[in-house]
Amino acid sequence: MSRNAQSGRSTPSISLRPVKRFKRSTGPAGGSGRTGGSDGSGGRKSRRPKRTGIRRLIPTWRMTLLGFCTALLLGIGLFALGITLVKVPDAHAAATAQSNTWLYSDGSVLTRTGQTNRQNVSLDKVSPAAQHAALAAEDRNFYNEGAVNVQGLARAAIKTAKGQGTQGGSTITQQYVKNTYLNQKQSITRKVKELFIAIKVDATESKNDILSGYLNTSYYGRGAYGIQAAAQAYFGIDASALDAAQGAYLATLLNAPSAYDVATATAAGKQNAVNRWNYVLDGMVKEGWLSADERAATTFPEVRDPQPNPGLSGQAGYLVDAATQYLTSSGVISETELAKGGYTIKLSIDPARQQALQDSVQAQLHDSLNPDKRKKDASAQAGAASVDPKTGAVVALYGGVDYVKHYVDNATRRDYQAGSTFKAIALAAAFENEAKTQDGRTITPRTVYDGTSGRKVRGGKGTPYAPPNEGDKSYGQISLQQATDWSVNSAFAQLAQDTGLQKVKDTAVAMGLPGNIPGLDPVPSIPLGAATPSVLDMAGVYATLDNGGKQITPWLVQSVDREGENVALPAHKTTQAISEDTANQVTSMLQGVVSDPGGTGWRAKALGRPVAGKTGTTDDQKSVWFVGYTPELVTSVGLFGQDPGTGAQVSLSGVGGIDGAAGGQFPAQIWTSYMKAALKGQPVGDFPTPAGGDSSGAIDLPTAPSTPSGTPSTSAPTGAPTTGPTTAPGDGSTSPGGTDGGATTAPTAPPTSQPTTQPTRPPRPTSKPTTPTTQPTAPPTSRPTTQPTGGADALTGAGASAGG
């Protein structure tokens, strides 16, 4: 210490030596301490000993908490990412593919088209019992749970791990997603996608929509996808009609469709099916969907045997094709939309009448054919159509022997000439237009025409048309009624000229023929059937006559439905094509074709009801027809000659071992057989009487020309006296009524009995008529006795064809 010299105080001295610091020492346990104490109490607290051995593998509670939080956050992030990234895809093609179901008029199934037998229905078209059965079998808590049942998944995983088989733990929502958007492959990727899509679907669709989708996409065996197809496959009913027992069985099939099909399963499989069925019903009781008493009274349902897929064989293909043509041509459905499937299309076809038509063609035609013995028999192709004249509904249609063997529909094809069936149209045109003969007389059934074969038509322009009659037979002066009964070409060629060729065509179109069919031109051959309408077209034309002149285009589709929604169909428009008086007059005349023992359609008289109709035979007998009707039903039958190899049109002569062919043969026989069955048990109706009464007997005679000269231009059957001019005007300008100026008396008595064998053609008259000097004093009161007995008329000239 030093003392301050001034103050006399002493002050401490300051040392400049460095201060000595304590050094950290390490204790025996590896802890740290500070020097200055033997126990290190003067230093920091020592560290915890290191974790060694197994203790190093056990996480601390801090590490556990941290890991849990990390995993939770990561899981939430991944879930959010999955929800964001996984989109609900469009339903795959297999889930949306449906068949089109085609029904008869009574609701029975005709066939289904499409590769997948599925017909989606809305949930209200599934019976409540069937809905509850599916829930009891697959997901009883469906309406109260979310998209995913975590407990169920865990339980399924445990059972699978224990080797108890692959266990399902999916909700109905998940199964619907798997069926609709994914596939059946068992993979982690598919399962993860299924979970995410199910959650999204559950959030955006109602439970009812999901259940409906599930029931429509599930597979039930027998090729049936969806509950509607399954109900038809196993019970032959709609899903709306399923009862608890049936619904429980279909729900049973969801677990193992093939193994639980009691119609084909093993004994063990059948027992397993019954056990599962009981499980489903018990579940329905437990959930309150079925009372205990109802459960006790429920018995195992009767399951129908597997039915072969009708497909398009037989007549089904023709009916489907005709209906498709009707729908697409009328703009109801495009072919593309129809191909997507899902439509239920009810036809107007009566299954009983359809079967009767098929049976009649078989019995009256095919049973008589033997292609192995007679090659010609292979060329016969039949087509037929039957129409309700009051509604236009097609009740039966025959398109050919088998759609899968002969694809061309003989009922709707438009490539064969109609022949003399067209003569009914010529009659209607004459009466409707109050046509007059060349000498100014109004044409009636009694009007006399010259039936000379090859007679030149009077009143036309250019080269006169001179069609021959069948077999070149001449009939002399005959009434229009007789010309109709015997299908005389020369008389009808003159009738059309007297009426006006364009008026004949216009009448044909008004009565239902398409205006653009080949051969429907206003040329001299038009009344003889040069046009090529279909069998169905001609049925529609004759239906106009049968319906008092009201025309309704024949239709084939009664209703169209797609997943519960009706598709609008065009209205069936009714048009007064010709007057009722005209229709009744023509009908009265066409009755003579059948009632006259020598009429070309005499076979149809065996029906035992009033019948009107007309036969038709075309050039070279390539097609023969009979179109006839009763007050209740119109049926058109055509037989066409088609080479089975080339498809070329060939003559039908020789088919069935018969020399020649005529509409009064096979077509009339088919018609009569079918109509007997189609009208069996129905009251016998009668046709209305025409306004002028029955005019089938008397003949309306023309006045004689003022200056006849030369030789007669008419001829008549042997022994028939004739009167007429001695010459025929070259241009026909003075030819009265197509009779060349005269008329003849007819023989006094018709045949007394109906032929009992195949009709034979009468011999051609061998003598020339004598030159008459006087006109008969009174018209005859009966038809000629020398007349064809069911023969056919042939036609040549202008490419036309016609005949009886």
Side-chain angles (χ1 to χ4, degrees):
M1 182 177 295
S2 61
R3 185 178 296 273
N4 192 306
Q6 293 179 356
S7 63
R9 293 181 183 178
S10 61
T11 59
S13 60
I14 299 173
S15 176
L16 300 177
R17 287 179 299 176
V19 178
K20 187 177 181 179
R21 300 180 179 275
F22 292 102
K23 293 182 179 179
R24 181 175 297 175
S25 61
T26 303
S32 61
R34 294 184 182 276
T35 59
S38 60
D39 59 359
S41 57
R44 289 184 299 176
K45 189 179 293 186
S46 63
R47 293 180 177 177
R48 287 180 297 178
K50 290 183 177 180
R51 298 167 62 87
T52 60
I54 194 170
R55 292 183 61 194
R56 297 178 61 187
L57 302 178
I58 301 175
T60 65
W61 69 270
R62 291 186 179 90
M63 294 173 63
T64 301
L65 180 61
L66 179 62
F68 176 78
C69 292
T70 302
L72 180 62
L73 292 174
L74 182 61
I76 293 173
L78 291 175
F79 180 80
L81 183 63
I83 289 291
T84 302
L85 296 180
V86 177
K87 306 293 184 183
V88 178
D90 292 333
H92 56 73
T96 57
Q98 299 183 61
S99 61
N100 288 321
T101 302
W102 306 81
L103 307 176
Y104 286 110
S105 60
D106 64 353
S108 59
V109 176
L110 164 64
T111 190
R112 292 184 177 87
T113 56
Q115 295 183 348
T116 302
N117 181 15
R118 177 190 286 117
Q119 182 186 359
N120 289 346
V121 292
S122 56
L123 197 59
D124 62 351
K125 296 296 179 64
V126 180
S127 70
Q131 296 180 43
H132 293 148
L135 295 174
E138 298 296 315
D139 192 354
R140 298 178 184 180
N141 200 37
F142 169 71
Y143 279 99
N144 299 315
E145 68 186 2
V148 179
N149 186 337
V150 178
Q151 291 181 343
L153 289 176
R155 183 171 57 252
I158 294 173
K159 289 184 177 181
T160 301
K162 289 181 178 181
Q164 298 177 3
T166 302
Q167 300 291 317
S170 300
T171 63
I172 279 181
T173 304
Q174 289 174 263
Q175 294 181 61
Y176 163 61
V177 166
K178 179 177 62 176
N179 293 341
T180 306
Y181 303 108
L182 301 172
N183 54 53
Q184 306 298 317
K185 184 178 180 180
Q186 298 289 341
S187 67
I188 297 297
T189 302
R190 196 272 295 164
K191 195 67 178 178
V192 170
K193 287 183 178 179
E194 176 187 303
L195 294 176
F196 284 117
I197 295 174
I199 292 171
K200 283 197 166 184
V201 167
D202 188 64
T204 57
E205 296 185 24
S206 70
K207 288 290 188 180
N208 283 347
D209 287 342
I210 293 172
L211 179 59
S212 175
Y214 169 70
L215 293 175
N216 281 318
T217 56
S218 295
Y219 182 62
Y220 289 83
R222 297 190 181 183
Y225 289 85
I227 194 167
Q228 172 65 13
Q232 288 286 345
Y234 290 93
F235 302 111
I237 61 176
D238 289 333
S240 60
L242 292 168
D243 59 24
Q246 295 166 331
Y249 179 70
L250 294 186
T252 295
L253 292 170
L254 293 169
N255 191 253
S258 298
Y260 289 171
D261 188 340
V262 294
T264 58
T266 63
K270 293 178 182 178
Q271 186 58 55
N272 289 336
V274 172
N275 293 341
R276 178 73 175 176
W277 178 77
N278 283 318
Y279 165 79
V280 174
L281 288 175
D282 291 342
M284 294 174 69
V285 174
K286 184 177 180 179
E287 296 298 325
W289 296 324
L290 186 69
S291 71
D293 290 341
E294 291 173 325
R295 169 68 178 93
T298 302
T299 58
F300 197 84
E302 182 178 349
V303 178
R304 71 191 307 202
D305 291 333
Q307 304 294 309
N309 184 1
L312 296 177
S313 61
Q315 297 304 303
Y318 299 120
L319 294 173
V320 168
D321 263 5
T324 298
Q325 182 180 350
Y326 172 79
L327 291 171
T328 55
S329 63
S330 58
V332 176
I333 308 173
S334 68
E335 291 188 41
T336 302
E337 285 299 315
L338 193 61
K340 292 180 181 179
Y343 291 94
T344 299
I345 302 166
K346 180 181 286 189
L347 306 186
S348 57
I349 300 296
D350 180 337
R353 286 175 168 175
Q354 178 66 30
Q355 188 62 53
L357 184 56
Q358 295 171 211
D359 292 345
S360 296
V361 175
Q362 181 65 40
Q364 300 301 321
L365 174 65
H366 292 297
D367 286 352
S368 301
L369 304 182
N370 188 346
D372 294 332
K373 182 179 178 181
R374 296 182 298 267
K375 292 181 62 176
K376 195 70 174 180
D377 287 2
S379 64
Q381 292 290 338
S386 189
V387 174
D388 182 337
K390 299 299 186 290
T391 65
V394 180
V395 298
L397 196 75
Y398 184 88
V401 62
D402 190 334
Y403 181 77
V404 300
K405 297 177 182 178
H406 176 76
Y407 293 100
V408 178
D409 190 342
N410 294 330
T412 59
R413 67 189 304 169
R414 289 172 174 159
D415 56 348
Y416 280 85
Q417 294 176 331
S420 289
T421 58
F422 199 97
K423 289 174 180 174
I425 299 173
L427 291 173
F431 298 150
E432 183 68 12
N433 291 282
E434 298 181 351
K436 299 182 183 301
T437 62
Q438 297 293 306
D439 67 347
R441 291 175 295 114
T442 300
I443 296 173
T444 73
R446 297 173 297 184
T447 299
V448 174
Y449 276 96
D450 187 353
T452 302
S453 181
R455 174 194 176 278
K456 295 180 180 180
V457 172
R458 311 305 181 197
K461 297 180 180 179
T463 303
Y465 181 51
N469 297 327
E470 186 275 330
D472 202 26
K473 291 186 292 290
S474 293
Y475 302 94
Q477 305 297 312
I478 56 176
S479 71
L480 185 56
Q481 177 67 64
Q482 293 166 330
T484 302
D485 294 354
W486 309 332
S487 201
V488 180
N489 291 335
S490 55
F492 272 88
Q494 186 63 56
L495 173 71
Q497 188 65 59
D498 294 344
T499 303
L501 303 179
Q502 183 63 48
K503 291 179 180 178
V504 174
K505 176 182 178 178
D506 292 343
T507 301
V509 174
M511 292 178 69
L513 285 193
N516 59 350
I517 60 173
L520 192 61
D521 301 313
V523 296
S525 62
I526 189 173
L528 308 185
T532 59
S534 69
V535 167
L536 182 58
D537 291 333
M538 291 307 292
V541 167
Y542 277 62
T544 301
L545 296 172
D546 202 9
N547 193 31
K550 299 181 180 69
Q551 190 273 331
I552 307 174
T553 300
W555 52 273
L556 195 66
V557 178
Q558 187 170 316
S559 66
V560 178
D561 176 276
R562 194 172 196 277
E563 298 185 16
E565 295 185 4
N566 291 326
V567 178
L569 293 173
H572 305 306
K573 185 179 179 181
T574 301
T575 304
Q576 192 72 46
I578 55 178
S579 70
E580 185 176 0
D581 287 343
T582 294
N584 293 343
Q585 185 66 77
V586 174
T587 295
S588 177
M589 293 189 70
L590 296 183
Q591 287 180 264
V593 175
V594 176
S595 62
D596 187 332
T600 58
W602 62 266
R603 279 185 175 83
K605 189 175 182 180
L607 179 62
R609 292 169 176 262
V611 175
K614 187 69 188 73
T615 55
T617 303
T618 63
D619 193 24
D620 294 331
Q621 300 164 347
K622 292 178 181 177
S623 63
V624 292
W625 302 64
F626 183 72
V627 187
Y629 54 100
T630 67
E632 303 83 15
L633 194 62
V634 179
T635 301
S636 173
V637 181
L639 189 61
F640 312 116
Q642 181 176 2
D643 186 284
T646 65
Q649 296 187 13
V650 296
S651 174
L652 289 165
S653 180
V655 168
I658 301 173
D659 183 20
Q665 296 171 354
F666 286 123
Q669 292 169 196
I670 293 170
W671 185 94
T672 305
S673 174
Y674 162 70
M675 293 290 279
K676 283 182 178 180
L679 298 175
K680 185 178 180 179
Q682 294 193 19
V684 177
D686 206 351
F687 293 113
T689 301
D694 184 8
S695 57
S696 61
I699 294 179
D700 180 20
L701 296 175
T703 57
S706 57
T707 57
S709 62
T711 59
S713 62
T714 64
S715 61
T718 303
T722 62
T723 60
T726 56
T727 62
D731 61 359
S733 59
T734 61
S735 173
T739 64
D740 291 335
T744 68
T745 59
T748 58
T752 57
S753 63
Q754 179 173 300
T756 58
T757 60
Q758 191 71 31
T760 58
R761 296 181 178 84
R764 181 181 176 181
T766 57
S767 62
K768 294 287 184 179
T770 58
T771 303
T773 57
T774 61
Q775 182 170 306
T777 57
T781 58
S782 62
R783 293 167 180 160
T785 56
T786 304
Q787 55 196 12
T789 56
D793 303 331
L795 171 71
T796 59
S801 59

